[in-house]
């Protein structure tokens, strides 16, 4: 048995896999898997950005996805934060392409702003905790 591979870590991996599969297949399933060529708006105009920043569910859901992705790593450091942010951005791009391909929503580049914004807000709440934990670990004498 691999050290650190416990029943809890298996649950963590399976639950993350299930969340990603459901998250990816939810939009096409709502459209009964009828897919078209996605028509996407790649303009980052002020009107599109302002409209996108009012999508509170995107902030909440992608912030939660960022935290759930971060939970998959064994330690909290720059590497795990950056990979979690990259995974959140990749899921946001995939969701936008799915919305365009199923014609159930608007495929806009500006809609990635609340997705990344939710991840950055979640990261902003975590950074003080990470800094406090590392400062406390520095104060413990080696022994």
């Amino acid at each position: 048995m691999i050290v650190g591979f416990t029943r809890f870590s298996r649950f963590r991996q399976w639950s993350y896999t299930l969340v990603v599969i459901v998250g990816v297949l939810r939009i096409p399933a709502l459209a009964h898997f009828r897919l078209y060529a996605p028509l996407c708006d790649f303009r980052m105009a002020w009107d599109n950005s302002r409209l996108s920043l009012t999508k509170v569910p995107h902030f909440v859901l992608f912030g939660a996805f960022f935290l759930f992705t971060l939970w998959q790593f064994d330690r909290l450091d720059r590497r795990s934060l950056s990979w979690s942010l990259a995974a959140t951005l990749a899921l946001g791009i995939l969701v936008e392409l799915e919305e365009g391909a199923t014609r159930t929503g608007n495929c806009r580049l500006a809609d990635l702003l609340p997705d990344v914004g939710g991840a950055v807000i979640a990261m902003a709440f975590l950074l003080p905790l990470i800094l406090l934990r590392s400062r406390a670990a520095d104060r413990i004498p080696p022994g």
Side-chain angles (χ1 to χ4, degrees), residues 131-142:
L131 292 174
L132 286 174
R133 190 183 74 173
S134 67
R135 181 174 284 177
D138 290 342
R139 290 185 183 169
I140 296 174

Side-chain angles (χ1 to χ4, degrees), residues 2-21:
I2 299 171
V3 176
F5 192 74
T6 62
R7 194 177 295 172
F8 179 71
S9 65
R10 254 184 272 142
F11 167 73
R12 186 173 60 173
Q13 292 168 352
W14 279 104
S15 61
Y16 183 75
T17 304
L18 184 65
V19 164
V20 170
I21 290 171

Side-chain angles (χ1 to χ4, degrees), residues 6-139:
T6 62
R7 194 177 295 172
F8 179 71
S9 65
R10 254 184 272 142
F11 167 73
R12 186 173 60 173
Q13 292 168 352
W14 279 104
S15 61
Y16 183 75
T17 304
L18 184 65
V19 164
V20 170
I21 290 171
V22 168
V24 168
L25 293 180
R26 181 182 172 273
I27 293 173
L30 290 174
H32 303 290
F33 294 99
R34 287 190 210 108
L35 303 176
Y36 307 96
L39 302 171
C40 295
D41 183 11
F42 293 109
R43 294 177 296 136
M44 285 295 286
W46 174 250
D47 292 334
N48 281 348
S49 300
R50 185 177 46 84
L51 187 64
S52 294
L53 289 174
T54 61
K55 296 183 175 183
V56 176
H58 279 251
F59 280 102
V60 173
L61 292 173
F62 281 91
F65 179 76
F66 173 80
L67 293 175
F68 202 44
T69 303
L70 192 62
W71 186 40
Q72 301 306 306
F73 293 95
D74 291 331
R75 66 177 83 159
L76 293 175
D77 54 1
R78 270 185 271 162
R79 184 173 170 252
S80 62
L81 289 171
S82 60
W83 276 110
S84 298
L85 186 64
T88 304
L89 181 62
L91 183 68
I93 292 170
L94 186 62
V95 165
E96 290 304 318
L97 289 174
E98 285 178 347
E99 285 179 351
T102 59
R103 310 265 167 93
T104 58
N106 297 322
C107 178
R108 288 188 292 222
L109 181 65
D111 284 347
L112 294 176
L113 290 175
D115 304 345
V116 173
V120 169
I121 290 170
M123 190 185 313
F125 282 116
L126 279 178
L127 281 178
L129 296 173
I130 294 169
L131 292 174
L132 286 174
R133 190 183 74 173
S134 67
R135 181 174 284 177
D138 290 342
R139 290 185 183 169

